[in-house]
Amino acid sequence: MSKRISVMFGLAVVLSAWFPIFAADSPKTIRVLYDNYVFDQACGSDWGFACLISGTQKTILFDTGAKGDLLLANFEKMKLRPADVELAVISHNHGDHTGGLLPFLATNEHVGVYLPAATPASFVKEAKARAASVSVVNKPVEICKGVFVIGPLGDKIIEQALVVDTKKGLVIITGCSHPGVVAIAKKAKEHLGRNIFMVLGGTHLLNHTNEDLQRVVDDLKGMGIQKVGATHCSGDKAIAKMKEAFGDGFVRMGVGQVIEVVED
């Protein structure tokens, strides 16, 4: 083997070790970067939510938690690089989902940002000053191949969800589900005409009655959803209810968790 070929081979090995999760043929992967529930004790926790989606055409940051320093620290703890993110989507205009965005953009200005309708003009302006591009979503949009932002939804609190189309069905990722997790799931299914495989994220079921929780569980199961991972603002009672109802289809969440959707 010539010296040149040997060097190139060595470089290829190094690159493959550094970028394993961004390979085109890798499974769709969701890494929880920010959550008030904990999966990996090495990561810091706080009220809020953020996750990284890879294995799609572009690498996507969904929500950014409340504190930029904690978000970035968890990137490092999970051996991820902010510079690899290509798109960022914010679910709704609450500080526990938007707080880390501007500090994140200070580390990576080459990001296209998708903000929900009704985002304050001042925040849009600040994001535009730091990002490669900023879009305010007023209708469902495909942001890269097979990945959609479904919104706007709700009235008092406008929210949008991220949806990844996989061979197993739709994977829906929610921030807080203020418009209702069932309403979000129905909208995604209606717009994309595909069955739903998995729903992950906040479901805003704190302080709901047992009857309300049962109704939500029945509706989700009635839609044929196979897996559910409730976290953040869902509440312990709702999480326990979903775990009981979905059994092996329940996905434990929390900061540090890594969820793979293998499409073989």
Side-chain angles (χ1 to χ4, degrees):
M1 183 183 291
S2 70
K3 183 177 180 181
R4 182 181 177 187
I5 293 173
S6 178
V7 169
M8 290 178 67
F9 177 77
L11 179 61
V13 170
V14 170
L15 287 176
S16 66
W18 187 254
F19 296 108
I21 67 169
F22 302 110
D25 59 350
S26 61
K28 307 294 190 298
T29 305
I30 300 102
R31 290 171 166 82
V32 182
L33 279 165
Y34 206 108
D35 200 347
N36 38 287
Y37 288 93
V38 178
F39 183 87
D40 183 348
Q41 296 293 336
C43 296
S45 64
D46 181 47
W47 184 264
F49 187 72
C51 65
L52 187 74
I53 299 93
S54 60
T56 43
Q57 185 184 35
K58 294 189 176 182
T59 302
I60 305 161
L61 177 64
F62 179 76
D63 282 344
T64 60
K67 300 171 184 174
D69 57 349
L70 181 58
L71 175 71
L72 295 171
N74 283 339
F75 261 95
E76 186 174 353
K77 287 286 179 62
M78 296 184 72
K79 295 180 170 49
L80 302 169
R81 301 197 315 176
D84 291 321
V85 176
E86 297 166 275
L87 301 174
V89 176
I90 296 295
S91 63
H92 63 296
N93 186 47
H94 282 175
D96 53 331
H97 298 260
T98 64
L101 180 62
L102 300 182
F104 168 79
L105 291 174
T107 72
N108 181 355
E109 61 185 12
H110 306 293
V111 174
V113 177
Y114 291 83
L115 298 175
T119 299
S122 59
F123 192 80
V124 175
K125 183 178 179 180
E126 287 187 278
K128 283 183 174 179
R130 293 166 172 82
S133 65
V134 174
S135 302
V136 177
V137 178
N138 291 301
K139 61 181 181 180
V141 59
E142 186 173 21
I143 62 174
C144 65
K145 185 178 179 181
V147 182
F148 304 82
V149 174
I150 301 296
L153 293 158
D155 42 26
K156 293 180 181 179
I157 298 173
I158 304 300
E159 188 165 344
Q160 57 194 21
L162 188 73
V163 181
V164 181
D165 193 5
T166 77
K167 292 177 182 177
K168 290 187 174 180
L170 302 178
V171 174
I172 302 174
I173 306 172
T174 63
C176 270
S177 302
H178 287 286
V181 64
V182 174
I184 290 172
K186 285 181 177 178
K187 179 68 175 179
K189 186 173 183 178
E190 173 190 326
H191 179 72
L192 297 172
R194 297 268 285 136
N195 289 329
I196 300 166
F197 173 62
M198 183 187 299
V199 178
L200 302 170
T203 61
H204 207 261
L205 294 171
L206 279 166
N207 303 319
H208 279 57
T209 65
N210 287 328
E211 291 75 15
D212 287 341
L213 293 178
Q214 189 62 54
R215 230 178 344 260
V216 170
V217 166
D218 290 345
D219 286 345
L220 293 175
K221 289 184 75 69
M223 294 177 69
I225 296 170
Q226 297 178 45
K227 293 182 177 291
V228 167
T231 192
H232 177 40
C233 56
S234 299
D236 292 344
K237 186 166 67 171
I239 290 171
K241 190 81 170 174
M242 291 190 182
K243 184 176 182 180
E244 178 186 7
F246 282 88
D248 291 342
F250 178 79
V251 180
R252 182 185 166 194
M253 297 289 282
V255 62
Q257 171 65 297
V258 179
I259 301 136
E260 289 189 347
V261 181
V262 181
E263 299 183 81
D264 293 342

